[in-house]
Amino acid sequence: MKTFRKPAVLFLLSLLLLLSLGLHAQTGSGFGSVQAVSSNPEYKYLPVINLGSSDRLTVSFDDLQDRDMLLRYRVVHLNTDGSRSSLREIEYVSGINKTDISQAELSFNTRTNYVHYRFEFPQANRNVKVSGAYAFEIFESSDPENVLLRVPFMVCEPHVKVKARAKVPRRVEWRLSRQELEVELDAQSSPVRILQAKESLKVYAQQNLNTQTIRRLPMLYQTGDTYFYKDQDALVFDGLNEFRNFDIRPVRHSGHDVEYTQITSNRWNAQLFPQKSREYTPYLSDDDLNGDFAIKAESMEKSDIEAEYVNVHFLLEEKPFPQREIYVIGKFNNWECNEESRMRYEEDLGMHVLSLPLKQGFYDYMFACKENGEIRIPYLEGNHQETENDYYIYVFYREPGGRYDRLLGLGKTNSRDLPE
């Protein structure tokens, strides 16, 4: 990696429910800033709409290679393990299931040319007929078998009430570092009769929308049509730490945690301040987005097409370990520990480095380690019971002999919510 100096500083040259639910975004080469936003304020951070409602999803993404393509999308219905369900298209979607993405705009007055795509769903006579896990598959009209982008979403039948809370763990050895969930499902008013609940209910929990944290919860017991998930180790999560973050909404001056910005090879670059491990540091409260990101260009009216793509350079002061790989993760890259997010150790700098092209905005991130195939975040971020975390609960149901997984409820709690 080429380096050069800016007075006494080395500058480096050099994107998204659920993994186990199949709601794991798959991004082809050259795409960035993939977002799916629901019009339903109840699902503020989730790509979710209610079945039979007026809810709409707005999907947007950028083609960074500025290609002349006619893109289309189709809707696919999934099982909770990510495979396609056995339903035929005619059973889960109405209308033609191959739709042109007609809203495409070229970037305006930016150093990096890109095409911003956008579409809404449902559209006209195109809608879904059943609830569950879904994905939009985006492809070029001339090559429908080559999926360029896969954007997850969910459709809910809100029949089951979800009550959840995070508490201090039961085990003494976990009380300073972890958080434990308690979940109660109330189906007393549900028109869906739940049979063989221990096998047919599939309840998942997720921390901060991090796809690496999703797990299925085991039921402890039921009383009538109320189901309890509590007092089991599977409900215990690492507390972790508040997210690191940086602000690249401005590019002509340095935002939060940006050491400096400059133009190199006709591209904006942002050098972040070098970071260190927080494994053994005391907990400090800090405001963050719980892993999320927000696209916004300072002083621009239309950030969708006027925001620049900035090469963001990450630095981590940490000794290298032969069997340990380090990654930069957040919602902006769907928490992926892959080649694009893997840091490289630079002997000359004595630091791990990574450069990522990110659209102007505010970003949360963390460092993750992979060792012996296992991903561990506390190694570099620490583990604290006091950390403020969001938890999302997903209630799927497949009736005995059924052919697909219905989504009957969604819940959310925060580690600082007070018990009712």
Side-chain angles (χ1 to χ4, degrees):
M1 182 175 292
K2 185 178 178 181
T3 63
F4 64 94
R5 288 190 175 272
K6 176 179 179 177
V9 182
L10 283 168
F11 191 90
L12 303 172
L13 289 174
S14 42
L15 56 146
L16 88 177
L17 194 58
L18 309 178
L19 181 58
S20 58
L21 301 185
L23 293 185
H24 186 53
Q26 295 177 352
T27 306
S29 176
F31 291 95
S33 303
V34 182
Q35 294 181 294
V37 180
S38 175
S39 64
N40 189 331
E42 199 172 321
Y43 303 128
K44 185 177 180 182
Y45 298 108
L46 295 169
V48 180
I49 56 176
N50 283 335
L51 185 66
S53 71
S54 60
D55 297 349
R56 304 184 74 80
L57 284 170
T58 300
V59 179
S60 61
F61 57 92
D62 297 333
D63 174 21
L64 303 184
Q65 295 184 11
D66 192 17
R67 293 167 285 194
D68 183 15
M69 298 187 295
L70 176 58
L71 296 183
R72 293 181 141 193
Y73 74 87
R74 59 177 166 251
V75 175
V76 295
H77 191 269
L78 306 172
N79 298 315
T80 56
D81 64 359
S83 61
R84 287 203 183 192
S85 73
S86 62
L87 297 182
R88 296 173 297 165
E89 280 190 1
I90 196 172
E91 295 179 279
Y92 67 81
V93 68
S94 60
I96 301 172
N97 196 19
K98 289 183 180 178
T99 310
D100 291 340
I101 303 177
S102 57
Q103 297 184 61
E105 294 182 275
L106 296 173
S107 59
F108 176 73
N109 200 29
T110 57
R111 293 180 178 274
T112 300
N113 294 327
Y114 59 88
V115 184
H116 179 73
Y117 291 90
R118 176 189 179 98
F119 66 88
E120 290 190 348
F121 184 85
Q123 283 186 358
N125 296 321
R126 303 178 186 93
N127 208 336
V128 292
K129 298 179 179 180
V130 300
S131 67
Y134 284 86
F136 296 112
E137 290 187 344
I138 296 163
F139 55 91
E140 197 169 1
S141 60
S142 60
D143 190 6
E145 299 307 312
N146 181 24
V147 177
L148 301 174
L149 192 61
R150 194 167 181 260
V151 182
F153 71 101
M154 290 179 282
V155 179
C156 183
E157 302 172 74
H159 297 320
V160 174
K161 297 177 182 178
V162 180
K163 181 180 178 182
R165 75 182 184 99
K167 64 176 187 178
V168 176
R170 296 164 294 111
R171 291 197 183 191
V172 174
E173 63 268 30
W174 290 344
R175 291 190 173 182
L176 296 179
S177 61
R178 303 192 185 184
Q179 298 171 350
E180 184 171 343
L181 284 182
E182 281 191 358
V183 178
E184 179 183 323
L185 307 182
D186 181 357
Q188 297 179 69
S189 302
S190 172
V192 179
R193 185 183 176 194
I194 296 176
L195 304 173
Q196 301 176 19
K198 274 208 170 183
E199 293 76 31
S200 60
L201 276 177
K202 302 177 183 179
V203 180
Y204 297 86
Q206 180 183 27
Q207 184 189 67
N208 295 330
L209 297 180
N210 183 346
T211 56
Q212 305 291 343
T213 67
I214 299 166
R215 65 188 63 176
R216 185 173 176 178
L217 306 182
M219 184 190 301
L220 185 63
Y221 65 93
Q222 75 176 88
T223 303
D225 292 321
T226 306
Y227 309 91
F228 298 88
Y229 300 75
K230 57 190 292 187
D231 299 336
Q232 298 176 84
D233 291 352
L235 283 86
V236 178
F237 288 74
D238 286 328
L240 301 180
N241 212 329
E242 305 299 344
F243 283 84
R244 305 173 194 257
N245 42 54
F246 59 90
D247 187 357
I248 53 171
R249 288 173 294 183
V251 288
R252 300 186 182 281
H253 62 272
S254 300
H256 169 71
D257 214 42
V258 176
E259 187 170 4
Y260 59 87
T261 61
Q262 69 179 39
I263 297 172
T264 305
S265 301
N266 203 35
R267 184 80 172 258
W268 279 105
N269 290 262
Q271 173 70 64
L272 304 188
F273 282 103
Q275 302 292 304
K276 295 182 178 181
S277 171
R278 301 187 293 178
E279 184 178 12
Y280 300 111
T281 61
Y283 171 76
L284 293 175
S285 179
D286 194 14
D287 291 332
D288 61 19
L289 303 178
N290 281 347
D292 209 343
F293 68 99
I295 300 296
K296 183 70 176 74
E298 186 178 76
S299 304
M300 298 295 180
E301 293 184 4
K302 296 184 68 176
S303 293
D304 286 345
I305 60 172
E306 294 183 308
E308 295 277 1
Y309 269 86
V310 179
N311 284 337
V312 179
H313 306 290
F314 299 83
L315 295 173
L316 175 65
E317 297 180 17
E318 180 73 7
K319 292 181 179 179
F321 289 87
Q323 303 303 317
R324 182 181 294 183
E325 296 176 336
I326 299 176
Y327 300 84
V328 176
I329 59 171
K331 190 179 176 184
F332 66 91
N333 65 0
N334 201 44
W335 315 90
E336 295 264 17
C337 291
N338 55 23
E339 279 304 302
E340 287 72 29
S341 63
R342 185 166 67 89
M343 305 191 82
R344 274 76 174 173
Y345 186 73
E346 290 286 327
E347 292 282 355
D348 294 343
L349 296 174
M351 288 187 280
H352 298 265
V353 301
L354 176 67
S355 295
L356 291 174
L358 298 174
K359 203 170 186 176
Q360 281 182 267
F362 188 92
Y363 291 81
D364 276 2
Y365 72 99
M366 280 187 175
F367 295 110
C369 293
K370 183 187 285 188
E371 193 168 4
N372 299 321
E374 189 172 355
I375 296 172
R376 295 186 179 276
I377 298 177
Y379 281 173
L380 290 170
E381 299 297 354
N383 226 2
H384 304 279
Q385 194 279 326
E386 306 98 319
T387 305
E388 184 261 320
N389 290 305
D390 287 327
Y391 291 93
Y392 298 84
I393 313 298
Y394 310 90
V395 183
F396 287 85
Y397 173 66
R398 180 179 293 209
E399 61 189 4
R403 297 170 53 222
Y404 71 98
D405 299 305
R406 302 168 68 172
L407 179 59
L408 298 185
L410 279 168
K412 178 189 174 186
T413 189
N414 185 275
S415 59
R416 293 183 182 171
D417 288 345
L418 296 175
E420 295 182 1

